[in-house]
Amino acid sequence: SLSGIDTNRVASVIEHCLVASETERVRCFLVYGKQTMQTNGNTLLNEERLIRVVTSYEHKADHGNNIEDLARDVVGSGDDRLNQLSSAMSGDNEMGQMKKYSINMMTLSLGPWLGDAVIRDRSFNSLLPRGKDASNKSSKGFGGPTKQTPPKKVNRENGFGEWVLGVQKIAMTFKYDYDANVRQSIDFGKSMGVSIDDWPKQSAGVIYDDRHSLVSSIDFDNGAYCGFIFGSIFIKASRFLTPLKQGSELPMLTEFAIFQKAESNLIDISDFSAENIFMSRMTRLYDDEGTLKTGSTSFFTLHSMDSSVDP
């Protein structure tokens, strides 16, 4: 149970989980409550509104097996950015073990965040539950789009865990006017497999709390999304899970990110040097029926303006 919340009001809970180290993880729970409203035409509107955001920092009590050896066997010795980050998080790196790094809006906007996203898309799978108006989009291959008719009887057991995967380059920036306005911009690059095409690329927000503290509340896109910066985490969530309230132009999207820095390079938050700061980010996109459509896990590195960025 949650303090101050009637459990009978809780309609949906969205959970995100990211690993911070080999013995630590961070979870985020977005709690949506149901509410019935009466319109001018005496029509009852059932909506789901975000009523509570809960974060949980969890430590593993029993270390058990040697996770470092297991990660080395699974990851291998590649030189790509994903492998470098995994190696750093396991402590097998010159930079030292990764630790959670507290940020504020100033640090977040020091430069572009460049990285890679692992995408999991379920909208192309005919075995999984589909909406009434769902249709398969044209792929980026040769030939015209192939129309696929979903089966009359959906076998949910066979469709479980069957996702279309892809990897894509992403660049993300936060523009901050050092007052109360912030803009999040995302550019999608080359991809292999399924790609992200219909996600919002611009999001404008207004900061309501102290911009120079470790706790900030951000109102994105005129109330469609609410964002939070708290210590080493960033959260952005749809204020409503009801399409009529969320708006037809803005999809139901959630973001959860944690920031880390090599232990040997940890600095005070007042120092705006931004070397070796990493972001692990999880996003989820929902369709008009509130069903999970696409998810992604991204890994970014901050390239500050005073540092050289490889082309």
Side-chain angles (χ1 to χ4, degrees), residues 147-302:
K147 294 184 179 180
Q148 299 181 5
T149 303
K152 296 181 180 179
K153 183 178 180 181
V154 177
N155 189 335
R156 296 175 184 267
E157 294 183 357
N158 290 339
F160 179 77
E162 296 183 4
W163 299 73
V164 181
L165 303 180
V167 179
Q168 189 168 15
K169 294 289 184 181
I170 296 182
M172 181 169 54
T173 58
F174 290 86
K175 303 291 181 63
Y176 175 45
D177 67 351
Y178 305 102
D179 184 19
N181 299 295
V182 61
R183 178 178 294 273
Q184 180 186 21
S185 302
I186 302 178
D187 294 319
F188 300 103
K190 296 181 179 179
S191 64
M192 180 175 63
V194 67
S195 61
I196 299 176
D197 296 320
D198 54 352
W199 293 45
K201 298 178 176 61
Q202 298 283 338
S203 185
V206 178
I207 305 173
Y208 284 102
D209 295 337
D210 184 4
R211 276 81 66 187
H212 304 289
S213 69
L214 297 182
V215 180
S216 298
S217 176
I218 309 173
D219 185 22
F220 282 103
D221 299 323
N222 297 320
Y225 307 98
C226 52
F228 305 95
I229 297 177
F230 178 71
S232 59
I233 64 175
F234 171 79
I235 301 172
K236 182 180 177 183
S238 298
R239 194 176 298 273
F240 299 95
L241 283 186
T242 309
L244 183 60
K245 296 291 292 184
Q246 180 69 12
S248 58
E249 299 298 327
L250 296 174
M252 289 174 282
L253 178 70
T254 63
E255 299 182 30
F256 177 56
I258 62 173
F259 299 87
Q260 296 172 299
K261 190 176 178 68
E263 188 175 24
S264 59
N265 291 323
L266 285 176
I267 58 176
D268 187 77
I269 190 64
S270 60
D271 183 359
F272 294 116
S273 174
E275 296 182 359
N276 300 324
I277 298 180
F278 301 96
M279 178 202 300
S280 300
R281 175 173 174 261
M282 179 179 292
T283 58
R284 290 176 179 173
L285 180 67
Y286 296 83
D287 59 21
D288 293 338
E289 297 179 350
T291 304
L292 180 61
K293 177 182 177 183
T294 308
S296 71
T297 304
S298 311
F299 304 96
F300 295 90
T301 303
L302 174 62

Side-chain angles (χ1 to χ4, degrees), residues 1-16:
S1 61
L2 297 175
S3 175
I5 294 182
D6 182 4
T7 55
N8 294 325
R9 284 190 57 200
V10 177
S12 304
V13 178
I14 298 176
E15 177 185 356
H16 296 270

Side-chain angles (χ1 to χ4, degrees), residues 58-107:
E58 302 173 358
H59 296 265
K60 184 178 180 181
D62 183 12
H63 295 279
N65 297 329
N66 191 330
I67 301 180
E68 185 176 339
D69 294 339
L70 179 60
R72 188 180 297 108
D73 294 338
V74 176
V75 174
S77 58
D79 295 329
D80 60 279
R81 189 177 291 107
L82 293 177
N83 288 348
Q84 290 177 6
L85 181 59
S86 300
S87 179
M89 291 180 65
S90 65
D92 185 22
N93 194 285
E94 294 180 356
M95 294 187 300
Q97 179 136 355
M98 301 295 291
K99 296 293 184 180
K100 296 190 303 294
Y101 181 71
S102 296
I103 65 162
N104 56 17
M105 184 53 66
M106 184 74 72
T107 310

